[in-house]
Amino acid sequence: MQTDRTLILGLIETCREVIAAHADHLCELDRAIGDGDHGTNMRRGCDAVYVDRDRLSGMPLAQALEKIGLTLVMNIGGASGPLYGTLLIEMGRKLGSNAHKTNFAAIVGEAIDAVARRGRSQEGDKTLLDVLYPVHTEMVRQSALVRIADTAKESAQLTAGMRAMRGRASFLGDRSIGHVDPGASSCALLATAICHYLKEYRPA
Ligand SMILES: [Mg+2]
């Protein structure tokens, strides 16, 4: 499918660019409450996907999402690799088996639930779920892409007020309060970049 090729290539490039541009900042956020490698890890994951972009963009969207998810699991590492990986793998699998239905918001919602199970986390635990769930709510409401992007950014900022319940940051207890979660931040950066890309995207 030609449409998928353009879309997949565009999304891969967009995500890689935004992470590369903010990798240092993501490391800085992670230094405050973690081990300081989140930007490096995310960049490695996005670079690995980018290297494989020609093959990936030749696949149907569902299959490409699943393969990108596997690449992220293998290359991001840390706590975030399996979470981002699960999100994309589940989206791909659900989209593949529901290709006749196109309720994309429902598919994304199920994939986010899978991320929550994988991380044994819920909303409010100061993780990327604190961006994913609000973004999903806007998707269900069929909000405009700019609104979804704003929600992603605002939601990431709100993690500063939360106490980390999962991962390395949770060892800090109350001292994790006052810092934006790096995973929520990378998630918001990606969601925002994807929204802006889709806003301009015109299928061939
Ligand atoms: Mg880290």
Side-chain angles (χ1 to χ4, degrees):
M1 260 189 284
Q2 205 53 36
T3 309
D4 282 4
R5 173 175 282 278
T6 319
L7 180 67
I8 294 164
L9 263 183
L11 289 172
I12 289 172
E13 285 166 4
T14 299
C15 291
R16 178 179 184 249
E17 266 171 38
V18 74
I19 291 300
H22 295 87
D24 291 345
H25 179 62
L26 292 171
C27 284
E28 209 175 289
L29 291 177
D30 197 23
R31 267 195 295 278
I33 58 170
D35 54 0
D37 62 358
H38 188 61
T40 313
N41 292 346
M42 290 301 290
R43 185 181 231 166
R44 192 171 52 242
C46 291
D47 284 350
V49 173
Y50 185 76
V51 163
D52 207 16
R53 66 193 181 284
D54 285 333
R55 195 175 67 94
L56 291 165
S57 60
M59 297 174 182
L61 182 60
Q63 196 189 342
L65 287 170
E66 197 174 335
K67 294 276 179 239
I68 291 170
L70 289 167
T71 303
L72 293 181
V73 171
M74 287 185 294
N75 290 280
I76 296 181
S80 302
L83 301 181
Y84 276 112
T86 298
L87 181 69
L88 294 189
I89 291 167
E90 289 298 318
M91 271 172 57
R93 285 183 186 160
K94 301 241 150 54
L95 190 65
S97 58
N98 288 287
H100 54 291
K101 295 192 253 164
T102 45
N103 189 347
F104 196 63
I107 287 169
V108 171
E110 287 173 33
I112 297 170
D113 288 341
V115 174
R117 285 194 298 275
R118 182 73 176 76
R120 289 186 225 92
S121 316
Q122 53 189 347
E123 224 176 332
D125 284 354
K126 198 180 180 97
T127 70
L128 77 175
L129 290 173
D130 294 308
V131 170
L132 291 175
Y133 277 118
V135 161
H136 178 247
T137 301
E138 297 294 346
M139 289 177 72
V140 171
R141 288 180 187 151
Q142 299 187 297
S143 301
L145 287 163
V146 282
R147 174 75 209 126
I148 300 176
D150 286 347
T151 296
K153 272 184 257 175
E154 291 159 14
S155 305
Q157 290 305 315
L158 287 176
T159 64
M162 298 173 186
R163 181 179 186 275
M165 303 301 286
R166 304 297 308 169
R168 203 177 288 258
S170 67
F171 303 141
L172 294 175
D174 285 344
R175 281 181 293 137
S176 65
I177 298 172
H179 302 280
V180 169
D181 180 63
S185 183
S186 62
C187 191
L189 286 169
L190 290 166
T192 304
I194 290 169
C195 285
H196 289 151
Y197 175 78
L198 292 177
K199 193 168 165 282
E200 303 304 324
Y201 177 71
R202 299 286 176 272

